[in-house]
Amino acid sequence: MIERLVLLGTKGGPALRPGGPMPTSCLIEIGGRSAVIDCGLGVTKGLVDAGLSLKGLDLVFITHLHSDHVLELGALIHTAWTAGLATPVRVFGPEGTRDVWAHFCRSLSYDIETRIVDEGRPDILALVTVTEFSQGRVFEEADLSVEALRVDHPPVTECYALRFNENGRSVVFSADTCHFQPLAAFAEGADYLVHEAMLLEGVDRLVARTGNGARLKEHLMASHTLAEDAGRIASDAGCAHLVLNHLIPADDPQVGPEDWERAVRTTWEGSLTIGRDGLELPLKRASAPRA
């Protein structure tokens, strides 16, 4: 297995616009496991385009239950099932994730029951296990572990950054959060910090296009991280590489990579990647196995 990090969708927020990027989701392949982080619209196509066999769907982690992070959870698993999935899938998410999956299956009960009888497929409900987590250790198997940190994303209280650790390697996903200083300690020494980012100069244009005026702007400013603050977290964490993701705005023609870099370089001097859909980043070679 190629060990890599793939940004499947890099847009912050649920709205889609012609020619624009898709909402946030990522793939990490590490330690012989494949893990999907968040399931915004487009995650299934993104995985296929990244070369992942849907029949091999393995681990899924949901950071929080905003629609741009969970809307395609059910559709991803169902589509994998129709593609031949016959092995267990483990889903990890905050409180309420079980209901999201159960209600999806209920809404498609006719299709699911028909395909089991007509096509001889295994029972999809028996294949999927949903584990709801809070702060702390989420997953541990062999040398791979995943830890969660509750971040500050009002009004959502159950929103979690995730840290993947395996044989001396680590990748941290900030999830959606305002500037949250404890994240620096959580991400200490990470090989990659995948952090959400917002560009102040684009907020008013985004609000004007989307609507809701002052209420939407108030939410954005209270619940998301300015690009320069993402740089501060990366600097304080001493991580090796900062990846900007969940970009706000992500589809403003007046905003380009140079604008993101200009903002971040006021606080971060290290390796930097501005996220785009389909971008693939290699993971460093693992440490020698422990004796």
Side-chain angles (χ1 to χ4, degrees):
M1 175 190 288
I2 299 172
E3 302 220 309
R4 57 182 179 159
L5 165 66
V6 186
L7 306 184
L8 305 172
T10 53
K11 178 186 182 298
L16 299 182
R17 297 185 178 89
M22 300 301 287
T24 302
S25 57
C26 294
L27 167 68
I28 182 172
E29 293 180 313
I30 186 171
R33 305 301 296 265
S34 297
V36 179
I37 297 90
D38 284 330
C39 293
L41 280 176
V43 63
T44 308
K45 179 64 160 53
L47 288 168
V48 171
D49 288 346
L52 184 79
S53 170
L54 294 182
K55 292 171 64 174
L57 189 64
D58 183 9
L59 303 171
V60 179
F61 293 85
I62 302 298
T63 62
H64 66 295
L65 297 185
H66 264 149
S67 60
D68 52 323
H69 296 258
V70 77
L71 194 58
E72 203 170 301
L73 170 64
L76 167 60
I77 298 172
H78 184 279
T79 303
W81 180 65
T82 63
L85 176 73
T87 53
V89 175
R90 298 179 65 184
V91 178
F92 300 84
E95 182 179 357
T97 305
R98 239 183 239 112
D99 281 346
V100 171
W101 170 242
H103 289 309
F104 172 84
C105 291
R106 195 168 298 126
S107 72
L108 284 188
S109 59
Y110 175 82
D111 177 272
I112 290 170
E113 292 165 8
T114 299
R115 292 184 187 279
I116 290 173
V117 173
D118 186 50
E119 302 172 9
R121 298 187 182 278
D123 183 356
I124 193 172
L125 295 176
L127 289 178
V128 179
T129 302
V130 179
T131 301
E132 295 184 345
F133 65 81
S134 56
Q135 184 164 286
R137 184 63 55 90
V138 174
F139 174 88
E140 186 168 18
E141 193 170 290
D143 291 320
L144 177 63
S145 65
V146 182
E147 299 173 58
L149 173 73
R150 182 183 280 109
V151 291
D152 192 4
H153 184 50
V156 179
T157 56
E158 297 297 302
C159 184
Y160 295 92
L162 297 171
R163 180 175 181 132
F164 288 73
N165 300 298
E166 194 268 341
N167 274 333
R169 300 180 293 176
S170 57
V171 178
V172 175
F173 300 87
S174 74
D176 286 15
T177 181
C178 66
H179 183 199
F180 188 61
Q181 193 57 37
L183 188 55
F186 184 72
E188 183 177 1
D191 297 296
Y192 288 108
L193 170 59
V194 184
H195 202 298
E196 74 135 72
M198 182 169 64
L199 202 61
L200 183 59
E201 65 192 66
V203 170
D204 286 334
R205 289 194 299 271
L206 173 63
V207 169
R209 282 192 296 166
T210 305
N212 303 332
R215 289 290 295 277
L216 177 58
K217 183 174 182 179
E218 181 180 345
H219 163 75
L220 293 173
M221 299 306 296
S223 302
H224 295 283
T225 305
L226 294 174
E228 48 268 45
D229 288 329
R232 287 188 178 93
I233 293 294
S235 293
D236 291 344
C239 50
H241 195 129
L242 173 62
V243 182
L244 298 188
N245 191 39
H246 193 276
L247 303 177
I248 304 173
D251 50 10
D252 186 334
Q254 297 183 53
V255 172
E258 65 281 1
D259 298 297
W260 292 102
E261 180 148 5
R262 187 183 309 115
V264 176
R265 286 305 182 196
T266 62
T267 55
W268 169 250
E269 297 179 352
S271 297
L272 174 66
T273 295
I274 313 302
R276 55 177 172 78
D277 291 11
L279 180 69
E280 182 175 321
L281 297 165
L283 299 184
K284 72 176 186 179
R285 189 182 299 273
S287 304
R290 293 190 292 269

